[in-house]
Amino acid sequence: MKKKTAILVDGGFFLKRYKSIVRAKSLDPIKTANDLWTMCLKHLDQPKGEKYDLYRIFYYDCLPYDKKQHNPVTGKAIDFSKTDQYKFQVSFFEELRKKRKMALRLGVLEDKNKWIIKPSKTKDLLKGTLNVSDLTENDVQYDFTQKMVDMKIGLDIASITLKKQVDQIILIAGDSDFVPAAKLARREGVDFLLDPMWNPIKPHLFEHIDGLHSTFKQYNKTTTTK
């Protein structure tokens, strides 16, 4: 009987890296969903000809922000539910729901009820190369943060591990928040792989994973394995 693998995807990280790799200013929800699906399935064919059965793909993200706010620079009203980003997210989630063995784990956005100046513009203001009066509506962004996404990833890793539902977990992510859950999985005998989509990881993370492997096509580079 083939071994089973679960693939967990940090959605915010995936979309950021995907957009960078394909060098796209805007994304098509159907193509993005298909590329994610293909990338995940490639993980089932592993070195030495070993094949794994897919237990499930878990995709973690938040529903997009859908309220109205006023830009503090221009005073212009913005309906976030009519933005291109909102339309893409909603359509993208619908495409993912159509995929076999795909489970969406959606957290919530914490509305901090304030606008912030983008970091690059803040640096210019502090250096004196930009005046407050020179700010445009594109130099500020509404402040909200994801809630419960990292918690859901950690809980699913623990649950899948302790219920012995898989032999392997592949996490597509880029930060170190997963380390406590990865330690638990490895102690219980689960093979734990990290796919950072070619993004460099901090050296200390190598001691908390069983392998590093990226499958998304990137020109002039080969997959890296540990």
Side-chain angles (χ1 to χ4, degrees):
M1 186 171 63
K2 288 183 182 178
K3 295 179 179 179
K4 288 188 176 182
T5 188
I7 302 175
L8 285 62
V9 185
D10 180 337
F13 171 79
F14 164 75
L15 289 174
K16 183 177 180 180
R17 285 297 299 154
Y18 175 78
K19 194 171 184 178
S20 174
I21 292 172
V22 301
R23 297 185 177 93
K25 293 183 178 180
S26 61
L27 300 179
D28 175 79
I30 296 177
K31 184 179 187 308
T32 304
N34 288 339
D35 284 348
L36 170 61
W37 177 250
T38 300
M39 179 182 73
C40 290
L41 292 187
K42 284 182 179 179
H43 274 295
L44 301 180
D45 293 325
Q46 299 191 11
K48 300 180 181 178
E50 190 172 16
K51 287 183 176 290
Y52 278 69
D53 275 337
L54 177 64
Y55 171 69
R56 192 160 289 128
I57 299 171
F58 299 89
Y59 187 89
Y60 304 84
D61 209 334
C62 289
L63 289 170
Y65 190 72
D66 61 357
K67 297 180 180 178
K68 295 180 180 180
Q69 299 293 342
H70 287 81
N71 188 290
V73 176
T74 63
K76 184 170 68 176
I78 299 175
D79 185 347
F80 282 88
S81 69
K82 289 182 170 55
T83 62
D84 290 340
Q85 178 63 25
Y86 180 90
K87 294 175 183 176
F88 166 79
Q89 287 283 97
V90 171
S91 298
F92 177 57
F93 290 161
E94 286 303 311
E95 292 302 319
L96 291 183
R97 288 187 178 99
K98 299 175 185 176
K99 301 296 185 185
R100 176 165 163 73
K101 291 193 175 183
M102 176 74 73
L104 266 63
R105 295 283 197 263
L106 299 179
V108 296
L109 286 176
E110 180 184 13
D111 185 349
K112 294 191 175 181
N113 197 30
K114 65 178 180 179
W115 291 76
I116 58 174
I117 300 173
K118 292 181 178 178
S120 61
K121 297 302 177 179
T122 299
K123 289 181 181 179
D124 292 339
L125 286 171
L126 293 174
K127 286 191 285 187
T129 57
L130 181 72
N131 295 319
V132 173
S133 58
D134 297 325
L135 290 173
T136 69
E137 63 179 24
N138 296 320
D139 294 332
V140 295
Q141 59 192 24
Y142 196 69
D143 191 18
F144 41 71
T145 56
Q146 290 186 340
K147 300 290 287 185
M148 298 193 300
V149 172
D150 291 339
M151 181 184 296
K152 286 177 181 287
I153 293 176
L155 287 174
D156 278 345
I157 291 174
S159 176
I160 292 169
T161 295
L162 296 176
K163 291 180 180 178
K164 301 187 183 302
Q165 293 170 319
V166 300
D167 303 284
Q168 181 185 73
I169 291 175
I170 298 173
L171 177 65
I172 299 173
D175 57 35
S176 58
D177 292 337
F178 68 87
V179 168
K183 285 183 176 180
L184 170 65
R186 296 180 77 209
R187 283 197 302 267
E188 295 296 321
V190 174
D191 185 35
F192 195 97
L193 300 183
L194 178 67
D195 179 353
M197 297 180 68
W198 307 109
N199 199 43
I201 67 169
K202 296 177 181 177
H204 77 275
L205 291 183
F206 280 96
E207 66 179 289
H208 302 299
I209 60 177
D210 293 306
L212 187 72
H213 185 60
S214 293
T215 64
F216 196 84
K217 183 177 180 180
Q218 189 175 32
Y219 296 107
N220 300 322
K221 289 188 179 182
T222 57
T223 52
T224 302
T225 58
K226 176 186 171 186

